[in-house]
Amino acid sequence: RLRFLLPVATQIQQDVIKAYGFSSDGEGVLKFARLIKSYESQDPEIASMSGKLKAMFLPPMTLPPHGAGTGGVAAS
């Protein structure tokens, strides 16, 4: 799912950010992302919106159960 969504999301972002003075290439996307990240710590609304956007494209990940790498048997 991520292999399909990430390129589409990146293309949409490239198309939008060029209207705001960013280049529509990978470097422009990185500059935009860094700028948003810096504003997240300064503005709770931007932080909230950024979190919601990430949640749409990156579903929450769960950690495997403790000991899953050892076949579920605790080492002694």
Side-chain angles (χ1 to χ4, degrees):
R1 177 176 154 177
L2 187 59
R3 282 187 259 171
F4 173 74
L5 287 179
L6 193 57
V8 172
T10 301
Q11 183 61 49
I12 292 168
Q13 187 176 21
Q14 288 173 331
D15 292 345
V16 171
I17 66 172
K18 68 182 174 185
Y20 296 94
F22 294 91
S23 60
S24 61
D25 58 6
E27 185 63 30
V29 171
L30 291 175
K31 285 181 181 178
F32 177 75
R34 283 192 291 260
L35 185 62
I36 293 299
K37 188 72 174 164
S38 72
Y39 287 143
E40 286 177 359
S41 62
Q42 300 172 22
D43 188 321
E45 184 176 4
I46 291 175
S48 174
M49 289 169 37
S50 179
K52 288 176 184 176
L53 185 61
K54 287 175 188 173
M56 287 171 46
F57 293 104
L58 300 172
M61 297 186 61
T62 56
L63 296 175
H66 183 68
T70 61
V73 177
S76 39

